[in-house]
Amino acid sequence: MTTPGDESRTELAWREIVEHYGERPVLHDDEPPTAARKGEDDARDREPLADHLVDDDKVEVREEAIAERFQPPAPPPFPRPRTWQRGVAWAGIFVPPVLALVIGLLSIYVHPLFGWALVVWFVGGFLFLVREMPRGRDPWDDGSRI
């Protein structure tokens, strides 16, 4: 730690770095800087842009007006599985990984049989859903919807 009278080489080197670092900002003593005043000062002090830099895009103005009025539609209801077997299979896709993550993060001891049951539930649910996928497909249908 340095003292006010210490003029070591390190202290002199740091002082020189600070003195020569970038341009010094010009501070006006008559107005205290505030966020609201700074924005107003920038708007008043700003020089007009050159003609080729002025953005006079009418489409952008119209899009901003539409964006202010836009109300997104209500989200669709949560889909329900068609059968209880599908519900168990979908639960097997999401529940076992979440339980395994919680068990691992909290270092909870569980019987190995419970861990294997989670693995079987996950794999079984995945295989069931793959088996239940529709088999036939129109060769001209690429899946896109308009």
Side-chain angles (χ1 to χ4, degrees), residues 93-103:
I93 296 296
F94 293 107
V95 173
V98 170
L99 282 176
L101 182 66
V102 169
I103 288 169

PDB file of all heavy atoms in Angstrom, residues 93-103:
ATOM      1  N   ILE A  93     -41.733 -39.551 -21.087  1.00  0.00           N
ATOM      2  CA  ILE A  93     -40.713 -38.784 -21.805  1.00  0.00           C
ATOM      3  C   ILE A  93     -40.194 -37.632 -20.954  1.00  0.00           C
ATOM      4  O   ILE A  93     -39.015 -37.297 -20.992  1.00  0.00           O
ATOM      5  CB  ILE A  93     -41.286 -38.246 -23.137  1.00  0.00           C
ATOM      6  CG1 ILE A  93     -41.661 -39.392 -24.069  1.00  0.00           C
ATOM      7  CG2 ILE A  93     -40.327 -37.293 -23.818  1.00  0.00           C
ATOM      8  CD1 ILE A  93     -40.498 -40.230 -24.524  1.00  0.00           C
ATOM      9  N   PHE A  94     -41.075 -37.022 -20.146  1.00  0.00           N
ATOM     10  CA  PHE A  94     -40.679 -35.818 -19.406  1.00  0.00           C
ATOM     11  C   PHE A  94     -40.391 -36.055 -17.925  1.00  0.00           C
ATOM     12  O   PHE A  94     -39.477 -35.452 -17.364  1.00  0.00           O
ATOM     13  CB  PHE A  94     -41.774 -34.744 -19.540  1.00  0.00           C
ATOM     14  CG  PHE A  94     -41.910 -34.235 -20.936  1.00  0.00           C
ATOM     15  CD1 PHE A  94     -42.992 -34.584 -21.726  1.00  0.00           C
ATOM     16  CD2 PHE A  94     -40.944 -33.419 -21.482  1.00  0.00           C
ATOM     17  CE1 PHE A  94     -43.118 -34.120 -23.022  1.00  0.00           C
ATOM     18  CE2 PHE A  94     -41.049 -32.950 -22.785  1.00  0.00           C
ATOM     19  CZ  PHE A  94     -42.140 -33.300 -23.549  1.00  0.00           C
ATOM     20  N   VAL A  95     -41.145 -36.914 -17.257  1.00  0.00           N
ATOM     21  CA  VAL A  95     -41.017 -37.068 -15.803  1.00  0.00           C
ATOM     22  C   VAL A  95     -39.715 -37.749 -15.391  1.00  0.00           C
ATOM     23  O   VAL A  95     -39.016 -37.241 -14.498  1.00  0.00           O
ATOM     24  CB  VAL A  95     -42.260 -37.781 -15.223  1.00  0.00           C
ATOM     25  CG1 VAL A  95     -42.075 -38.095 -13.755  1.00  0.00           C
ATOM     26  CG2 VAL A  95     -43.503 -36.925 -15.430  1.00  0.00           C
ATOM     27  N   PRO A  96     -39.332 -38.897 -15.949  1.00  0.00           N
ATOM     28  CA  PRO A  96     -38.091 -39.544 -15.488  1.00  0.00           C
ATOM     29  C   PRO A  96     -36.834 -38.682 -15.603  1.00  0.00           C
ATOM     30  O   PRO A  96     -36.035 -38.646 -14.660  1.00  0.00           O
ATOM     31  CB  PRO A  96     -37.998 -40.803 -16.357  1.00  0.00           C
ATOM     32  CG  PRO A  96     -39.391 -41.103 -16.725  1.00  0.00           C
ATOM     33  CD  PRO A  96     -40.059 -39.767 -16.875  1.00  0.00           C
ATOM     34  N   PRO A  97     -36.617 -37.952 -16.720  1.00  0.00           N
ATOM     35  CA  PRO A  97     -35.411 -37.113 -16.733  1.00  0.00           C
ATOM     36  C   PRO A  97     -35.433 -36.020 -15.667  1.00  0.00           C
ATOM     37  O   PRO A  97     -34.399 -35.723 -15.064  1.00  0.00           O
ATOM     38  CB  PRO A  97     -35.410 -36.498 -18.133  1.00  0.00           C
ATOM     39  CG  PRO A  97     -36.228 -37.415 -18.962  1.00  0.00           C
ATOM     40  CD  PRO A  97     -37.259 -37.976 -18.041  1.00  0.00           C
ATOM     41  N   VAL A  98     -36.617 -35.449 -15.411  1.00  0.00           N
ATOM     42  CA  VAL A  98     -36.697 -34.407 -14.383  1.00  0.00           C
ATOM     43  C   VAL A  98     -36.429 -35.017 -13.008  1.00  0.00           C
ATOM     44  O   VAL A  98     -35.676 -34.442 -12.199  1.00  0.00           O
ATOM     45  CB  VAL A  98     -38.070 -33.694 -14.437  1.00  0.00           C
ATOM     46  CG1 VAL A  98     -38.266 -32.800 -13.237  1.00  0.00           C
ATOM     47  CG2 VAL A  98     -38.207 -32.903 -15.728  1.00  0.00           C
ATOM     48  N   LEU A  99     -37.034 -36.166 -12.730  1.00  0.00           N
ATOM     49  CA  LEU A  99     -36.786 -36.824 -11.442  1.00  0.00           C
ATOM     50  C   LEU A  99     -35.315 -37.203 -11.289  1.00  0.00           C
ATOM     51  O   LEU A  99     -34.730 -37.014 -10.208  1.00  0.00           O
ATOM     52  CB  LEU A  99     -37.661 -38.068 -11.309  1.00  0.00           C
ATOM     53  CG  LEU A  99     -39.115 -37.835 -10.956  1.00  0.00           C
ATOM     54  CD1 LEU A  99     -39.870 -39.160 -10.948  1.00  0.00           C
ATOM     55  CD2 LEU A  99     -39.242 -37.161  -9.605  1.00  0.00           C
ATOM     56  N   ALA A 100     -34.708 -37.719 -12.348  1.00  0.00           N
ATOM     57  CA  ALA A 100     -33.286 -38.078 -12.281  1.00  0.00           C
ATOM     58  C   ALA A 100     -32.422 -36.846 -12.023  1.00  0.00           C
ATOM     59  O   ALA A 100     -31.471 -36.899 -11.243  1.00  0.00           O
ATOM     60  CB  ALA A 100     -32.868 -38.781 -13.569  1.00  0.00           C
ATOM     61  N   LEU A 101     -32.776 -35.736 -12.649  1.00  0.00           N
ATOM     62  CA  LEU A 101     -32.021 -34.502 -12.434  1.00  0.00           C
ATOM     63  C   LEU A 101     -32.144 -34.029 -10.983  1.00  0.00           C
ATOM     64  O   LEU A 101     -31.146 -33.673 -10.352  1.00  0.00           O
ATOM     65  CB  LEU A 101     -32.523 -33.424 -13.391  1.00  0.00           C
ATOM     66  CG  LEU A 101     -31.812 -32.074 -13.338  1.00  0.00           C
ATOM     67  CD1 LEU A 101     -30.377 -32.231 -13.802  1.00  0.00           C
ATOM     68  CD2 LEU A 101     -32.534 -31.063 -14.191  1.00  0.00           C
ATOM     69  N   VAL A 102     -33.362 -34.034 -10.459  1.00  0.00           N
ATOM     70  CA  VAL A 102     -33.572 -33.600  -9.064  1.00  0.00           C
ATOM     71  C   VAL A 102     -32.854 -34.534  -8.101  1.00  0.00           C
ATOM     72  O   VAL A 102     -32.181 -34.086  -7.155  1.00  0.00           O
ATOM     73  CB  VAL A 102     -35.083 -33.522  -8.749  1.00  0.00           C
ATOM     74  CG1 VAL A 102     -35.328 -33.345  -7.266  1.00  0.00           C
ATOM     75  CG2 VAL A 102     -35.726 -32.399  -9.536  1.00  0.00           C
ATOM     76  N   ILE A 103     -32.959 -35.838  -8.337  1.00  0.00           N
ATOM     77  CA  ILE A 103     -32.291 -36.811  -7.467  1.00  0.00           C
ATOM     78  C   ILE A 103     -30.777 -36.611  -7.507  1.00  0.00           C
ATOM     79  O   ILE A 103     -30.103 -36.636  -6.467  1.00  0.00           O
ATOM     80  CB  ILE A 103     -32.684 -38.245  -7.891  1.00  0.00           C
ATOM     81  CG1 ILE A 103     -34.130 -38.526  -7.503  1.00  0.00           C
ATOM     82  CG2 ILE A 103     -31.756 -39.273  -7.260  1.00  0.00           C
ATOM     83  CD1 ILE A 103     -34.704 -39.791  -8.107  1.00  0.00           C
TER      84      ILE A 103
END
